[in-house]
Amino acid sequence: QVQLVESGGGLVQAGGSLRLSCAASGLIFSINTMGWYRQAPGKQRELVARITSGGSANYADSVKGRFTISRDNAKNTVYLEMNSLKPEDTGVYYCNADIRTLVAAIRPYWGQGTQVTVSS
């Protein structure tokens, strides 16, 4: 009923930049908070940043000042601008969104993940 499709991952050198996008589609009635999580090899998935429908954002301490989350409500899309990337930013980045559909109550949905690799 709902799909989250991420794009924009890849391989970049330390100090470089990447921009991730995640578009939600399907029988969407409304979207509340959208966010990005990441999972490094051998580690638990962790919150990177999230943003409310009104545009209020919060970030993990490790990315403050380097990453910026934004969203386009008309396109049901959330973005993550990542600058000054470090090797420790390497991992699979997952999009997450709390979505109410036309046939179901609000619940979280996840994208399939996109790999970000930062070389030193």
Side-chain angles (χ1 to χ4, degrees):
Q1 294 177 347
V2 171
Q3 278 192 318
L4 298 181
V5 179
E6 300 122 333
S7 61
L11 173 64
V12 64
Q13 288 188 333
S17 299
L18 283 174
R19 188 186 193 220
L20 305 183
S21 299
C22 171
S25 63
L27 302 176
I28 296 170
F29 179 80
S30 63
I31 303 178
N32 287 4
T33 300
M34 303 183 81
W36 290 94
Y37 290 71
R38 68 186 179 191
Q39 187 165 19
K43 295 188 177 181
Q44 289 188 332
R45 191 175 298 188
E46 63 176 359
L47 173 69
V48 175
R50 57 189 174 191
I51 184 168
T52 68
S53 57
S56 295
N58 64 286
Y59 299 88
D61 288 342
S62 60
V63 307
K64 283 180 180 177
R66 300 188 297 121
F67 291 10
T68 302
I69 190 170
S70 62
R71 64 190 283 175
D72 184 334
N73 291 331
K75 296 182 179 179
N76 292 335
T77 299
V78 63
Y79 306 95
L80 185 68
E81 186 76 34
M82 304 185 292
N83 298 315
S84 302
L85 282 161
K86 304 175 181 179
E88 50 263 43
D89 294 318
T90 294
V92 179
Y93 283 68
Y94 296 91
C95 175
N96 169 272
D98 294 329
I99 298 175
R100 179 184 172 190
T101 70
L102 298 177
V103 296
I106 191 168
R107 73 167 182 88
Y109 290 83
W110 291 90
Q112 79 285 355
T114 185
Q115 178 70 43
V116 171
T117 303
V118 184
S119 63
S120 57

Short mmCIF file of all heavy atoms in Angstrom, two decimals, residues 17 25 35 45 53 81 87 90 101 109:
data_model
loop_
_atom_site.label_atom_id
_atom_site.label_comp_id
_atom_site.label_asym_id
_atom_site.label_seq_id
_atom_site.Cartn_x
_atom_site.Cartn_y
_atom_site.Cartn_z
N SER A 17 30.52 15.17 -0.20
CA SER A 17 29.10 15.36 0.08
C SER A 17 28.26 14.38 -0.71
O SER A 17 28.65 13.93 -1.80
CB SER A 17 28.69 16.79 -0.30
OG SER A 17 29.40 17.75 0.44
N SER A 25 5.13 6.75 -1.70
CA SER A 25 4.03 6.65 -2.66
C SER A 25 3.05 5.59 -2.21
O SER A 25 3.37 4.73 -1.38
CB SER A 25 4.56 6.31 -4.06
OG SER A 25 5.19 5.04 -4.05
N GLY A 35 12.17 10.54 8.61
CA GLY A 35 13.52 10.56 9.13
C GLY A 35 14.47 9.63 8.40
O GLY A 35 14.06 8.87 7.51
N ARG A 45 21.00 -0.18 14.32
CA ARG A 45 20.48 0.95 13.56
C ARG A 45 20.30 2.14 14.50
O ARG A 45 19.82 1.99 15.62
CB ARG A 45 19.15 0.57 12.91
CG ARG A 45 18.64 1.55 11.89
CD ARG A 45 17.37 1.03 11.21
NE ARG A 45 17.62 -0.21 10.48
CZ ARG A 45 16.71 -0.77 9.69
NH1 ARG A 45 15.53 -0.19 9.51
NH2 ARG A 45 16.99 -1.89 9.08
N SER A 53 6.15 17.19 10.13
CA SER A 53 5.44 17.75 8.98
C SER A 53 5.48 19.27 8.98
O SER A 53 5.39 19.90 7.92
CB SER A 53 3.99 17.26 8.99
OG SER A 53 3.35 17.62 10.20
N GLU A 81 20.91 16.07 3.19
CA GLU A 81 22.12 16.64 2.63
C GLU A 81 23.25 16.35 3.59
O GLU A 81 23.19 16.75 4.76
CB GLU A 81 21.96 18.15 2.44
CG GLU A 81 23.12 18.82 1.73
CD GLU A 81 23.10 18.56 0.24
OE1 GLU A 81 22.02 18.47 -0.35
OE2 GLU A 81 24.20 18.43 -0.34
N PRO A 87 34.62 8.77 7.42
CA PRO A 87 34.52 7.31 7.26
C PRO A 87 33.51 6.69 8.22
O PRO A 87 32.85 5.70 7.86
CB PRO A 87 35.94 6.84 7.56
CG PRO A 87 36.80 7.98 7.14
CD PRO A 87 36.02 9.22 7.51
N THR A 90 29.88 5.84 7.22
CA THR A 90 29.60 4.70 6.35
C THR A 90 28.53 3.80 6.94
O THR A 90 28.53 3.52 8.13
CB THR A 90 30.89 3.88 6.12
OG1 THR A 90 31.82 4.68 5.38
CG2 THR A 90 30.61 2.60 5.36
N THR A 101 -2.58 5.79 5.97
CA THR A 101 -3.06 5.54 4.61
C THR A 101 -4.58 5.71 4.55
O THR A 101 -5.23 5.99 5.57
CB THR A 101 -2.71 4.13 4.13
OG1 THR A 101 -3.50 3.18 4.88
CG2 THR A 101 -1.23 3.82 4.34
N TYR A 109 6.76 3.19 8.35
CA TYR A 109 7.17 2.47 7.16
C TYR A 109 8.67 2.70 6.94
O TYR A 109 9.20 3.76 7.31
CB TYR A 109 6.40 2.95 5.92
CG TYR A 109 4.94 2.56 5.92
CD1 TYR A 109 4.01 3.33 6.60
CD2 TYR A 109 4.50 1.43 5.24
CE1 TYR A 109 2.66 2.98 6.61
CE2 TYR A 109 3.15 1.07 5.23
CZ TYR A 109 2.25 1.85 5.92
OH TYR A 109 0.92 1.50 5.92
#
